[in-house]
Amino acid sequence: MTDSVSRLPRRSALRLLGGAVAVVAAAAGGFAPASRAHARSGRGQGSGARVEGLLARLTLDEKISLLHGATDPRPLGQAGYVPGVARLGIPPLRLADGPAGVRVTRHATALPAPVLLASAFDPDLARRYGQVIGREGRALGQDVLLSPMVNLIRTPYAGRNFETFSEDPLLSAHLVAAEIEGIQGEGLIATVKHFALNNQERDRTSVDVRVDERTLHETELRGFEAAVAVGTGAVMGAYNKVNGTFACENEALLTGVLRERWGFTGWVMTDWSAAHSTRKALMAGLDMEMPDGTHFGTALASAVRDGGVREQYVDRAVRRVLTVMDRFGLLDGTVPQRPDRDAKAGAAVAREVAEAGATLLRNAHGTLPLTGGGSVAVIGPTGARPLVSGGGSAHVVPEHADSPLDAIRSRAARVTYALGEDAFGKPVPASALDPAFDTEAQHVDAGRTWTCDGTLTVTDAEAGDDWTFVLHYSGTPPLRPKALLDGEELFPLVPGWDEYFMGGLLTHAADGLSVRRKTWKPARGTHRLSITAPGGDTGQLFRLRRITAATRAQDVAEAVRAARAARDVVLFAYEDAIEGQDRTTIALPGNQERLIEAVTAANPRTTVVLNTSSATSMPWLERTGAVLQMYYPGQEGAAATAAVLFGDRDPGGRLTQSFPADDDHHPVAGDPRRYPGVDGTEQYTEGVHVGHRWYDAEDVPPLFPFGHGLSYTSFAYEDPDAHWTADGLDVAFTVRNTGRRDGVAVPQVYAGPAPDLRLDQPVRVLAGYRRLALRAGEQRRVTVRVEPRTLSSWDPKVRDWVLGTGPRTLWIGASSRDPRLRTSVRVGG
Ligand code: BGC
């Protein structure tokens, strides 16, 4: 390999197996409460002896059965299963997603998306979020959680930006560590993912990410390192390649960084079907293949029997798995009884997180908070149907989620509703079809097949329009109705994720029917349309609908009428992200930009609530009264949104990613080598200038900067004072609530480059922050501790961290672009 990562120095095994690891583990915490004492006492002889004793008694086949996924004889709908070895008292492991709640077939608390949690800038809240998932995972029969995800937000297009925390390495590191402590404190084993550089969905299973060693350590790895430092039980390898080698068989990462540099003692599993080899992967440091044994099943057993793989490497992997199981009390029967699910406590945390992370981006002319006395027009599909969570493996189905419309109705005197943007279509009129049939409610009986061969007529007025055909159907693939238009299949089956993942909003109609769409530019005249719908074993219901220029115009006109008639408008705009695919633009999808323009023209007291995954461009921004970023707010999102809109809660969130002005002004714009990659390879040439650091380095104004978010009150920052101590930097300042309402301030400390380092450094890095609730008129003195690591750079020459000594500028401000105080301090004495 020619990559720089592979050349990382190996630290002495002795040192790591002795002092360093003991220190990490002791500081780790995160054991199940009942096993804390055990873990403390068992860390030495006892626990190691138990694992070694088991290893000596396990047969080769039994060992191998612990290293790959298998079919669960009693599945609970979770993503993975590893059978135990009953004769030796080794229990099976059930592994469930995911980042916003426990994903099994039973209902679970749908927490707000992690990006919304992160927006609260509150590690303590992240710990409680983890506790909810930890307890619920155990209650729902799980042993391992496939979360948290800590890949950085590098591109606004990445399909899973909602599932992770931030573009900032420090904030991500704090949050992932706290959440893992919360999860593991309840006795559920956490899995930090996806190691490493799975920063996009496009080509995720093949893209080769090229990155230099310094960038890797200073950006993406920081969160993983923090997860290891608090004792994450497991790490999930990413799908992509890193510097030429698949992450799941990348020795430089799995052994060089994870084990030798960081002292990780848990196990590494693949992402789902991300293994590519047997010997290479095992030797590189992979311990477990999921969800099956394609490479780590019989292939591994044969390799050992043939002498191609030494059994000690199998033992090494098994030892890692068993050591974590033992740490969680799974091998000696000290694991606590599974608790009951506490749905009420989960709901309370879900609500608190959604309120704490609600990020008010704009508030002109006192548009917010709303008063309950006036009339409110609610507009937009996610106003009536809550967008609870994003799509893919992080999708969680709760018992219940209110609609924002109902929550607003319970607060305001007069509330009207208009759809405004239709994602599910209107019936195709029978007059356009020959033979005419009811496209709205076709029931096909079990064992029958419904067919229709006819024509669809497009009028002169409709020709050249943009149509979207929308198919709603109840059958599961391959029972999807087949529709051929002029001989071409409208809704072809695409095997893979497309068929597998549930979306947040778009893939299912309100009544649960699956939904697929196809755009079409019709020519005038008649077109051949033939439909075949199989009834299967249970029968099938399907509808064929369409969205046209005329239906769009009707929806907008209805919304404009509602907006005109009301004092205030709350317009819910959405973007429905799903794992496995990236966006192609940061503009709102569909007709929503035009809808916002028309509605704001009719009523400037319009608040746009964004139920989106990540950054959005807002060419309509100046026309609005207010913009509230709620992402995917979980099952309690409606109540939380209403509480913030009506001012019961101060919007406590701040952006954890920069919002670019448009598709041409962000860190990966205009250079396909940076994104999405060229010829399968992608270069992280922005180097250490990830996220807000790039906007500063290139002097590009973002639409909204990292750290931005308004309160309903105002704050003054005063009297900065900074001291270097042996343990780091203490930055003190006073924050005063200068307004008439109680509110939440999130002052942020940024540090400038170190003059003593001859390295290309960021203009400023986030060095610390503090979330503060202050009553009207209250002031508080705050001291933010900045760790030496935050003031250090990775020096590729010495292949280690070096402290950035010398005089350094510090800013204390309300965002990366809103410095309120400036001071300087000599770092390093
Ligand atoms: C995702 C993982 C997830 C796994 C199991 C994969 O497609 O990338 O994040 O944990 O599926 O559902």
Side-chain angles (χ1 to χ4, degrees):
M1 277 199 328
T2 55
D3 64 278
S4 51
V5 176
S6 66
R7 298 194 305 266
L8 286 173
R10 300 279 152 76
R11 296 214 168 151
S12 122
L14 201 62
R15 184 185 155 214
L16 282 159
L17 292 173
V21 168
V23 171
V24 168
F31 303 110
S35 59
R36 271 180 202 277
H38 157 81
R40 267 201 302 274
S41 65
R43 179 145 301 279
Q45 273 296 38
S47 152
R50 183 177 304 113
V51 170
E52 293 309 319
L54 286 170
L55 264 172
R57 294 162 66 202
L58 285 162
T59 66
L60 177 63
D61 288 335
E62 285 170 339
K63 288 177 193 170
I64 284 180
S65 73
L66 294 170
L67 300 185
H68 65 83
T71 305
D72 187 347
R74 284 190 303 279
L76 303 169
Q78 80 280 5
Y81 173 77
V82 177
V85 179
R87 76 176 182 95
L88 296 177
I90 302 174
L93 292 176
R94 291 193 166 80
L95 304 86
D97 284 300
V102 183
R103 183 174 200 251
V104 290
T105 29
R106 284 181 47 202
H107 288 141
T109 304
L111 288 153
V115 69
L116 184 55
L117 166 71
S119 308
F121 279 69
D122 187 351
D124 187 53
L125 194 58
R127 184 171 292 106
R128 288 194 286 128
Y129 182 100
Q131 281 164 352
V132 169
I133 304 182
R135 174 175 178 153
E136 223 165 80
R138 297 254 315 118
L140 293 168
Q142 305 303 306
D143 310 288
V144 182
L145 183 79
L146 304 169
S147 166
M149 169 172 174
V150 74
N151 301 105
L152 289 187
I153 296 179
R154 173 177 179 262
T155 153
Y157 303 118
R160 294 178 88 170
N161 284 351
F162 67 93
E163 266 189 73
T164 191
F165 301 113
S166 173
E167 68 188 15
D168 188 82
L170 177 77
L171 181 61
S172 299
H174 288 173
L175 297 173
V176 78
E179 186 182 334
I180 288 173
E181 285 177 338
I183 296 165
Q184 298 200 151
E186 298 296 315
L188 192 68
I189 299 167
T191 309
V192 67
K193 67 188 188 184
H194 311 82
F195 190 62
L197 300 164
N198 180 188
N199 308 106
Q200 70 192 52
E201 292 302 278
R202 178 135 170 210
D203 302 327
R204 69 174 177 173
T205 57
S206 60
V207 69
D208 180 10
V209 178
R210 301 274 166 163
V211 64
D212 66 80
E213 185 181 301
R214 181 173 171 222
T215 300
L216 188 61
H217 280 275
E218 287 193 29
T219 64
E220 172 88 349
L221 290 191
R222 183 109 192 239
F224 288 99
E225 186 178 4
V228 169
V230 295
T232 187
V235 170
M236 183 190 289
Y239 282 121
N240 49 281
K241 293 179 185 164
V242 176
N243 290 331
T245 304
F246 280 110
C248 286
E249 54 188 40
N250 194 311
E251 193 182 351
L253 280 176
L254 302 187
T255 298
V257 172
L258 206 50
R259 306 277 173 192
E260 299 184 352
R261 183 164 285 281
W262 296 344
F264 177 58
T265 55
W267 87 86
V268 179
M269 72 180 83
T270 61
D271 199 338
W272 265 228
S273 308
H276 294 271
S277 60
T278 301
R279 185 175 191 279
K280 184 178 179 189
L282 185 74
M283 304 296 285
L286 180 71
D287 304 306
M288 184 185 278
E289 178 186 16
M290 290 308 280
D292 56 25
T294 308
H295 299 278
F296 273 30
T298 44
L300 180 54
S302 309
V304 173
R305 289 195 174 105
D306 298 350
V309 169
R310 298 228 305 271
E311 192 165 344
Q312 72 183 77
Y313 289 101
V314 170
D315 289 353
R316 178 178 79 171
V318 173
R319 184 178 293 114
R320 290 166 175 168
V321 176
L322 292 182
T323 300
V324 178
M325 291 179 73
D326 195 32
R327 199 177 117 200
F328 281 76
L330 295 170
L331 298 182
D332 65 355
T334 63
V335 64
Q337 284 271 308
R338 291 193 184 274
D340 287 335
R341 212 186 132 216
D342 188 347
K344 229 170 131 190
V349 172
R351 167 97 183 246
E352 186 181 346
V353 170
E355 290 172 355
T359 307
L360 183 60
L361 298 177
R362 170 181 165 87
N363 191 14
H365 325 300
T367 300
L368 292 183
L370 301 175
T371 55
S375 55
V376 181
V378 175
I379 294 170
T382 55
R385 187 170 150 205
L387 214 179
V388 172
S389 63
S393 60
H395 190 73
V396 180
V397 183
E399 271 104 1
H400 169 78
D402 278 344
S403 76
L405 178 60
D406 287 341
I408 291 171
R409 275 195 178 127
S410 71
R411 293 298 319 261
R414 275 160 296 136
V415 179
T416 55
Y417 175 73
L419 181 63
E421 164 80 355
D422 180 12
F424 296 94
K426 311 269 189 270
V428 178
S431 56
L433 298 163
D434 185 17
F437 69 97
D438 182 0
T439 56
E440 198 45 16
Q442 283 301 330
H443 291 268
V444 188
D445 290 336
R448 308 288 295 269
T449 298
W450 185 95
T451 55
C452 164
D453 259 311
T455 59
L456 170 79
T457 303
V458 173
T459 64
D460 286 358
E462 292 166 337
D465 204 4
D466 268 330
W467 284 29
T468 303
F469 281 106
V470 191
L471 178 74
H472 300 211
Y473 61 101
S474 62
T476 46
L479 290 187
R480 180 187 296 172
K482 194 171 170 163
L484 296 175
L485 188 67
D486 292 332
E488 198 191 314
E489 193 152 348
L490 281 177
F491 311 102
L493 281 166
V494 187
W497 301 132
D498 189 40
E499 297 303 329
Y500 171 70
F501 279 135
M502 299 246 292
L505 177 79
L506 293 179
T507 56
H508 286 80
D511 59 2
L513 262 55
S514 297
V515 173
R516 291 293 182 277
R517 296 171 182 77
K518 170 77 179 192
T519 54
W520 184 54
K521 254 198 190 324
R524 87 175 252 287
T526 52
H527 299 267
R528 277 177 298 124
L529 177 67
S530 73
I531 301 175
T532 313
D537 290 341
T538 52
Q540 164 134 247
L541 169 69
F542 80 92
R543 308 187 269 257
L544 183 66
R545 293 183 173 180
R546 63 175 193 177
I547 301 165
T548 67
T551 68
R552 282 186 209 106
Q554 279 159 23
D555 287 324
V556 170
E558 190 200 339
V560 164
R561 275 195 297 279
R564 273 210 191 99
R567 176 177 187 269
D568 292 287
V569 178
V570 182
L571 190 158
F572 287 81
Y574 78 92
E575 171 256 321
D576 194 27
I578 190 161
E579 176 185 338
Q581 63 194 47
D582 283 357
R583 293 190 282 169
T584 52
T585 171
I586 60 170
L588 286 172
N591 200 37
Q592 294 183 96
E593 288 196 345
R594 261 164 288 168
L595 172 69
I596 295 174
E597 267 157 30
V599 167
T600 50
N603 187 337
R605 293 186 58 81
T606 294
T607 297
V608 176
V609 176
L610 291 166
N611 290 131
T612 47
S613 66
S614 186
T616 300
S617 56
M618 305 181 199
W620 37 263
L621 180 68
E622 294 300 319
R623 296 159 171 255
T624 64
V627 179
L628 179 65
Q629 177 69 47
M630 290 301 294
Y631 301 102
Y632 305 141
Q635 66 178 48
E636 306 298 320
T641 304
V644 172
L645 288 172
F646 287 90
D648 311 342
R649 290 281 180 279
D650 198 43
R654 304 294 183 263
L655 287 183
T656 68
Q657 63 195 298
S658 313
F659 273 31
D662 54 41
D663 284 305
D664 300 325
H665 297 89
H666 56 73
V668 299
D671 186 350
R673 286 168 306 178
R674 272 193 194 170
Y675 177 84
V678 175
D679 297 335
T681 297
E682 197 179 29
Q683 314 274 352
Y684 280 29
T685 45
E686 72 276 19
V688 296
H689 306 285
V690 69
H692 56 95
R693 301 173 181 182
W694 179 88
Y695 291 85
D696 288 341
E698 300 295 325
D699 203 14
V700 171
L703 178 64
F704 291 113
F706 174 88
H708 170 74
L710 304 170
S711 161
Y712 290 145
T713 184
S714 50
F715 299 99
Y717 299 179
E718 293 153 354
D719 303 327
D721 187 24
H723 288 288
W724 173 255
T725 72
D727 302 332
L729 184 63
D730 283 334
V731 184
F733 50 91
T734 301
V735 185
R736 195 153 50 86
N737 183 340
T738 52
R740 285 199 297 266
R741 301 176 68 103
D742 300 351
V744 175
V746 185
Q748 299 144 44
V749 178
Y750 293 88
D756 293 355
L757 291 184
R758 298 273 162 270
L759 291 168
D760 169 34
Q761 297 167 68
V763 175
R764 59 182 75 89
V765 295
L766 178 70
Y769 53 87
R770 180 67 53 81
R771 179 185 177 86
L772 290 173
L774 292 178
R775 287 192 303 279
E778 187 184 353
Q779 67 172 42
R780 204 172 307 159
R781 187 81 185 152
V782 176
T783 302
V784 170
R785 162 58 57 97
V786 183
E787 303 145 42
R789 167 61 71 81
T790 305
L791 300 166
S792 301
S793 295
W794 178 269
D795 186 341
K797 283 214 194 82
V798 298
R799 321 196 89 184
D800 214 335
W801 295 96
V802 286
L803 183 64
T805 54
R808 298 186 68 163
T809 305
L810 299 173
W811 294 268
I812 296 142
S815 80
S816 69
R817 290 289 175 121
D818 185 5
R820 303 278 178 90
L821 300 173
R822 185 189 161 123
T823 183
S824 75
V825 66
R826 176 166 287 278
V827 169

